[in-house]
Amino acid sequence: MPKPKILILDDEVEFASALAERLMLRDYPARAEYRAEKAFDSIRQDPPDVVLLDLKMPGMNGIEFLRDLKRSWPRIEVIMLTGHGDPSYVDLATREGAFDYIMKPVDITELTAKIAGAMERRSQG
Amino acid sequence: MERLPDQEISGSQMSFIGKVLATFSHELKNHLAVIKEYTGLIHDLFEMKKPGGNMSEQCLQSLRSINGQIDKTLSLILYFNRFSHRMDAPVSSFDVNAAIEELLILIHRLANQRRVKLEPEFDREIPEVHANPLLVQFLLFCLIEELLLRLEGGGTIRVGTNRTGGNLVVRLATQGKLGPPSVGQRVCGEEGFGLALGTLGATVDRSGENSVITMTMPVKSS
């Protein structure tokens, strides 16, 4: 069974690129975007199954992006990437439809488990 | 209980220091996250040994990135260390350009979040100032934060210094669309800000063209 397509959206270019490479080594079709506007174009062209979304980005915060994403693509699952794990932000993200969150620096094993969980939820409709 | 003037300034300064600390720690964590990803990638490349691809080049690129992040982290820590030592003595003679540069480096992430560039335009010939350096940084932070909140959709804040007679002038000029002054709520209260100005013998003028804000304070007597 093919692995889910992953889009990483994070303004930290090197972080997102390295994470994408690590996921690709594990046979996930993964790509990275660094700006929200370009990410929407990328999603329109090739919708991913899961988006790994930075909570805080210049000019547009992750919660706003999540809201807009879910409005247009409700079946795309989202896992928030956060450096501080502020419970209020995490709660808000979950209410807006995020599947879960993961702290940066990322534990790759934990991440792939969360991706599997997100896909499980999606398969349950 | 009525707050004394010192407490008013202290409370406001604590908020300012807290914001600098938060920004610094966030920045540090981001650099470490990149380092961790690249060390993980190198580990993956060796452990997984995927056919094809260019493992040597990928490892070298990862090592270059790790090195770059370490350099950035060390630079940031150096600036933070200097900032921390501003509190060693309540009053000292110091290079205002260096103090402002330090502040701009430490808060650039805050500005970045608002898509604002902070650009220094220093007069390198200005003399030292004999004052509380942390208060100077605190006041400037308040003014910069005010502008960050008012700048809609990003822009630039140019921070310039020059000497006029017996005074040092710090000038904040913006490029970008500015919202109304009511939008700019500072990290400190009016009273803390005002008391800090009084302690430094400084004044702030917001009546400049194109929303230029200037802060003027006396220089050290030679």
Side-chain angles (χ1 to χ4, degrees):
Chain A
M1 189 168 165
K3 290 207 173 161
K5 281 194 272 190
I6 313 289
L7 171 70
I8 302 159
L9 179 55
D10 194 305
D11 65 297
E12 297 285 349
V13 173
E14 287 188 283
F15 168 80
S17 302
L19 184 56
E21 283 201 55
R22 295 191 74 191
L23 286 169
M24 284 191 285
L25 279 172
R26 289 162 174 80
D27 298 324
Y28 290 88
R31 63 193 199 264
E33 292 290 344
Y34 318 112
R35 289 176 66 99
E37 306 83 3
K38 288 218 163 161
F40 276 125
D41 289 341
S42 177
I43 290 169
R44 265 183 223 108
Q45 281 172 20
D46 183 13
D49 298 301
V50 180
V51 171
L52 306 181
L53 175 59
D54 186 17
L55 196 53
K56 277 192 176 182
M57 284 180 295
M60 182 181 192
N61 74 48
I63 301 289
E64 287 171 15
F65 185 93
L66 171 62
R67 211 171 271 146
D68 291 346
L69 176 72
K70 282 293 193 178
R71 197 177 297 132
S72 303
W73 294 279
R75 288 202 25 97
I76 292 179
E77 290 289 357
V78 177
I79 297 169
M80 306 301 289
L81 294 165
T82 172
H84 50 74
D86 183 337
S88 59
Y89 273 119
V90 168
D91 281 343
L92 181 56
T94 309
R95 283 200 301 275
E96 293 291 346
F99 170 73
D100 203 341
Y101 78 99
I102 190 161
M103 295 278 291
K104 287 164 48 168
V106 167
D107 180 315
I108 196 78
T109 306
E110 186 185 347
L111 176 61
T112 54
K114 286 185 192 268
I115 291 170
M119 293 311 294
E120 168 97 28
R121 178 170 93 161
R122 193 162 106 149
S123 71
Q124 286 164 6
Chain B
M1 188 164 74
E2 194 184 318
R3 275 158 67 91
L4 299 171
D6 282 355
Q7 286 174 320
E8 203 58 61
I9 299 181
S10 302
S12 301
Q13 274 188 267
M14 291 295 279
S15 299
F16 155 59
I17 291 169
K19 280 211 172 180
V20 171
L21 277 171
T23 307
F24 167 75
S25 65
H26 195 109
E27 187 87 35
L28 203 61
K29 198 164 191 190
N30 277 350
H31 292 316
L32 289 172
V34 176
I35 290 170
K36 185 158 167 110
E37 279 315 315
Y38 275 111
T39 56
L41 179 59
I42 292 171
H43 175 269
D44 288 348
L45 287 167
F46 277 100
E47 194 172 69
M48 292 177 177
K49 289 194 178 101
K50 290 262 178 174
N54 189 347
M55 184 170 141
S56 298
E57 184 48 43
Q58 281 181 291
C59 283
L60 280 170
Q61 179 52 46
S62 298
L63 289 167
R64 279 193 286 266
S65 292
I66 288 168
N67 210 40
Q69 291 298 318
I70 291 172
D71 285 342
K72 283 182 194 173
T73 306
L74 286 170
S75 174
L76 187 68
I77 288 172
L78 178 67
Y79 279 103
F80 185 73
N81 186 261
R82 286 182 192 160
F83 170 76
S84 305
H85 281 293
R86 297 284 178 197
M87 299 171 236
D88 287 353
V91 177
S92 59
S93 295
F94 64 97
D95 177 350
V96 170
N97 288 339
I100 296 174
E101 183 188 43
E102 203 171 278
L103 177 69
L104 299 184
I105 298 278
L106 289 173
I107 67 170
H108 95 271
R109 186 174 185 82
L110 265 180
N112 199 41
Q113 285 292 317
R114 308 273 310 170
R115 290 196 174 161
V116 173
K117 275 191 215 163
L118 300 175
E119 284 180 0
E121 288 179 346
F122 298 148
D123 175 355
R124 297 286 170 197
E125 302 298 322
I126 57 169
E128 286 190 330
V129 166
H130 191 70
N132 181 328
L134 195 64
L135 270 188
V136 173
Q137 289 175 321
F138 160 65
L139 286 174
L140 274 171
F141 176 80
C142 291
L143 295 174
I144 290 171
E145 197 183 42
E146 180 182 319
L147 292 172
L148 284 176
L149 290 167
R150 288 180 63 194
L151 275 166
E152 297 169 3
T156 305
I157 300 175
R158 289 197 306 278
V159 185
T161 55
N162 68 277
R163 182 178 185 167
T164 308
N167 290 316
L168 167 76
V169 179
V170 182
R171 188 172 175 274
L172 303 173
T174 58
Q175 262 180 308
K177 188 181 170 206
L178 266 181
S182 55
V183 167
Q185 288 168 20
R186 295 192 212 99
V187 68
C188 60
E190 284 294 334
E191 206 171 330
F193 185 79
L195 284 165
L197 279 179
T199 304
L200 287 175
T203 56
V204 166
D205 180 1
R206 288 186 177 75
S207 62
E209 277 182 30
N210 300 322
S211 296
V212 167
I213 300 177
T214 55
M215 185 171 90
T216 305
M217 61 187 162
V219 299
K220 176 185 177 183
S221 314
S222 56

